């Protein structure tokens, strides 16, 4: 039984514990996650999505083995024990190739799964819910399950060929809307019905048996459903336990399985605690982390503008805006409205399409200049109080330094602390 299976068993035994998955490839986010997990003395789950990382490089330019090397290198740098590090793959399936026929897309998905498993990713989300170019919309439950089982069989075969055994754990199912936040304004989202959740489980279990991988069914630890949480560009739909009450009980019948909740970004601390209590014990967080990072960096730009001569300023905000306008493919189909509304969304949207642009070398250089400018001066406390009041308080309490990078990391960790407290609260209370 691996670490995640043990975690699930503890939760099923009444531990009220959970785990959060950091879904980001940004170095500052990963560093903040290491720091938080070290402070908590906890396991750290880092996940790459099929958009970020694939066998062709994804939008980060990294293959699965590249991503693993990137994370392990950072783990060594920050003295994080690798036995407490778990790598996961999110929405692994034909997602990236929906414009191709199902046959072509699934061939790519086969290679995607094999690349993730061979690279040492241990938590695999099998998601074949999306329709390809020649598919009906939506797909039937049976088709989704059959394709997921096909990928599961490849994952098992790859693990056996690469490592001589398989200790992979799987997550099945998907959420609605699409991963990464809704592209349109939402007023409500429909909670997955207990009947739909049961059907997803039953069809996948049958498909696993048909694909001759029934023996790994007990390693299916998670079911992705919609518990009624979501965010769009400017709003957040909060978790309402009453609406998910019937759904919550579905996994009681499956001793090896909890729910995995996606799009939990921007929920309240109380909501995270309640989600874990209601068996949504795997919480995914992504855009909220880079959103917090962006807030911190832009606040540092405001401080920079007050104390650094304009000719020497980093112009980070202007640089990002220019790059996003020059290469609009990552946001254009998501941000609508007039020019002013699009500009607002590019900067401030909760869906944070800006995260696709941080790897750009020009933007990286501007960020380096910002850090250099502010590390060479003493940031006046009144300015820190004005633009980063939480970090001002932490500085005054001696918890962090005034180094600009430390201020950004602490801002990111504000998000992570909420997840950490929700996932470990019961255990902390018992100490």
């Amino acid at each position: 039984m691996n670490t995640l299976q043990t975690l699930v068993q503890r939760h099923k035994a009444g531990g009220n514990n959970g785990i959060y998955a950091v879904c980001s490839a940004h170095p500052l986010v990963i560093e903040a996650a290491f720091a938080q997990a070290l402070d908590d003395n906890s396991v750290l789950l880092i996940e790459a999505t099929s958009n970020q990382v694939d066998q062709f490089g994804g939008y980060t330019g990294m293959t699965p083995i590249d991503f693993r090397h990137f994370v392990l290198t950072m783990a060594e740098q920050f003295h994080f024990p690798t036995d407490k590090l778990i790598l996961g793959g999110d929405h692994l399936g034909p997602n990236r190739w929906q414009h191709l026929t199902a046959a072509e897309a699934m061939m790519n998905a086969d290679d995607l799964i094999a690349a993730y498993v061979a690279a040492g990713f241990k938590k695999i989300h099998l998601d074949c819910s999306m329709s390809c170019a020649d598919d009906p919309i939506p797909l039937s439950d049976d088709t989704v399950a059959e394709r997921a089982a096909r990928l599961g069989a490849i994952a098992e075969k790859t693990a056996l060929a690469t490592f001589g055994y398989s200790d992979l754990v799987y997550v099945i199912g998907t959420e609605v809307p699409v991963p990464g936040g809704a592209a349109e304004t939402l007023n409500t989202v429909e909670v997955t019905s207990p009947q739909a959740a049961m059907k997803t489980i039953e069809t996948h279990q049958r498909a696993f048996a048909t694909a001759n991988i029934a023996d790994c069914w007990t390693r299916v630890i998670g079911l992705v459903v919609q518990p009624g949480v979501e965010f769009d560009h400017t709003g957040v739909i909060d978790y309402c336990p009453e609406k998910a009450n019937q759904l919550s009980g579905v996994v009681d019948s499956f001793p090896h399985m909890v729910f995995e909740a996606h799009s939990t970004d921007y929920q309240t601390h109380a909501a995270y605690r309640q989600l874990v209590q209601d068996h949504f014990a795997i919480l995914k967080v992504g855009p909220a982390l880079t959103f917090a990072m962006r807030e911190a960096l832009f606040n540092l730009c405001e401080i920079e503008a007050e104390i650094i001569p304009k000719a020497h300023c980093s112009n980070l905000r202007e640089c990002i805006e220019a790059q996003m306008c020059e290469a609009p493919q990552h946001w254009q189909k998501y941000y609508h409205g007039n020019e002013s509304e699009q500009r607002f969304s590019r900067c401030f949207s909760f869906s944070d399409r800006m995260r696709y642009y941080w790897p750009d070398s020009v933007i990286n250089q501007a960020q380096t200049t910002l850090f250099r400018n502010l590390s060479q001066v003493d940031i006046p406390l009144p300015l820190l109080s004005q633009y980063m009041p939480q970090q001002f308080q932490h500085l005054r309490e001696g918890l962090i330094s005034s180094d600009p990078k430390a201020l950004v990391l602490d801002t990111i960790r504000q998000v992570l602390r909420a997840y950490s407290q929700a996932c470990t609260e019961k255990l902390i209370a018992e100490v």
Side-chain angles (χ1 to χ4, degrees), residues 51-316:
N51 285 325
Q52 290 173 322
V53 174
D54 66 20
Q55 66 269 40
F56 305 112
Y59 78 74
T60 63
M62 287 188 281
T63 64
I65 194 66
D66 293 333
F67 186 84
R68 175 179 170 81
H69 178 71
F70 159 69
V71 173
L72 289 180
T73 299
M74 290 194 68
E76 182 178 5
Q77 180 183 352
F78 299 111
H79 308 290
F80 190 85
T82 54
D83 62 337
K84 289 190 172 184
L85 177 64
I86 303 170
L87 293 181
D90 196 26
H91 294 288
L92 301 186
N95 181 45
R96 290 274 286 174
W97 304 287
Q98 294 176 58
H99 62 287
L100 301 177
T101 66
E104 294 171 308
M106 285 301 295
M107 286 181 64
N108 281 337
D110 293 344
D111 294 339
L112 175 73
I113 287 285
Y116 267 82
V117 173
F121 288 69
K122 295 298 184 182
K123 177 178 174 289
I124 303 296
H125 177 203
L126 302 171
D127 183 7
C128 296
S129 61
M130 58 289 299
S131 296
C132 299
D134 57 347
D135 279 330
I137 301 175
L139 293 177
S140 70
D141 290 305
D142 286 333
T143 298
V144 171
E146 287 166 8
R147 291 178 182 178
R150 164 180 165 170
L151 298 183
I154 291 171
E156 290 294 297
K157 180 180 178 181
T158 303
L160 290 171
T162 307
F163 306 107
Y165 63 94
S166 176
D167 60 350
L168 299 173
V169 294
Y170 297 97
V171 173
I172 58 173
T174 194
E175 84 282 22
V176 179
V178 294
E184 69 281 349
T185 300
L186 296 175
N187 295 313
T188 186
V189 291
E190 185 176 348
V191 175
T192 302
S193 71
Q195 295 78 14
M198 282 297 298
K199 189 172 184 182
T200 296
I201 294 172
E202 290 166 357
T203 54
H204 277 76
Q205 188 170 12
R206 285 198 302 270
F208 272 47
T210 301
N212 295 317
I213 54 171
D215 58 337
C216 70
W217 178 250
T218 56
R219 286 187 272 120
V220 177
I221 63 165
L223 172 66
V224 179
V225 290
Q226 175 50 268
V229 300
E230 190 53 77
F231 57 92
D232 56 30
H233 301 316
T234 59
V236 180
I237 295 177
D238 294 318
Y239 180 58
C240 294
E242 309 79 35
K243 295 182 179 180
N245 184 51
Q246 289 184 312
L247 173 63
S248 176
V250 168
V251 291
D252 289 341
S253 303
F254 300 90
H256 54 87
M257 192 180 298
V258 294
F259 290 118
E260 177 169 287
H262 292 209
S263 298
T264 66
D265 308 66
Y266 313 109
Q267 293 289 311
T268 66
H269 290 218
Y272 293 131
R273 291 192 293 271
Q274 190 64 52
L275 279 161
V276 171
Q277 183 175 320
D278 292 344
H279 307 314
F280 299 94
I282 306 173
L283 303 177
K284 307 294 280 290
V285 55
L289 297 169
T290 45
F291 182 91
M293 181 190 76
R294 189 271 312 157
E295 279 188 323
L297 289 169
F298 282 14
N299 284 332
L300 289 177
C301 287
E302 296 293 333
I303 293 172
E304 179 191 42
E306 294 290 342
I307 59 177
I308 301 296
K310 185 173 180 58
H312 299 290
C313 281
S314 64
N315 299 312
L316 176 62

Side-chain angles (χ1 to χ4, degrees), residues 20 30-42 44 80 412-414 416-418 420-421:
Y20 60 91
I30 301 300
E31 182 175 348
F34 280 136
Q36 186 62 45
L38 283 171
D39 277 1
D40 294 335
N41 191 28
S42 68
L44 176 60
F80 190 85
I412 298 169
R413 287 184 64 182
Q414 285 178 221
L416 294 171
R417 288 183 194 109
S420 172
Q421 289 164 9

Side-chain angles (χ1 to χ4, degrees), residues 333-385:
K333 69 177 181 179
Y334 300 93
Y335 296 158
H336 308 297
N338 60 35
E339 184 178 340
S340 176
E341 290 168 330
Q342 289 182 350
R343 184 169 60 250
F344 176 89
S345 294
R346 285 195 296 270
C347 183
F348 298 113
S349 169
F350 281 140
S351 63
D352 189 41
R353 306 300 297 182
M354 188 182 290
R355 69 186 186 276
Y356 289 82
Y357 294 85
W358 291 110
D360 180 84
S361 59
V362 176
I363 293 172
N364 264 286
Q365 183 55 52
Q367 179 186 304
T368 299
T369 300
L370 175 67
F371 281 178
R372 184 178 64 245
N373 283 345
L374 294 180
S375 64
Q376 292 174 348
V377 298
D378 291 326
I379 298 177
L381 290 180
L383 285 182
L384 194 59
S385 177

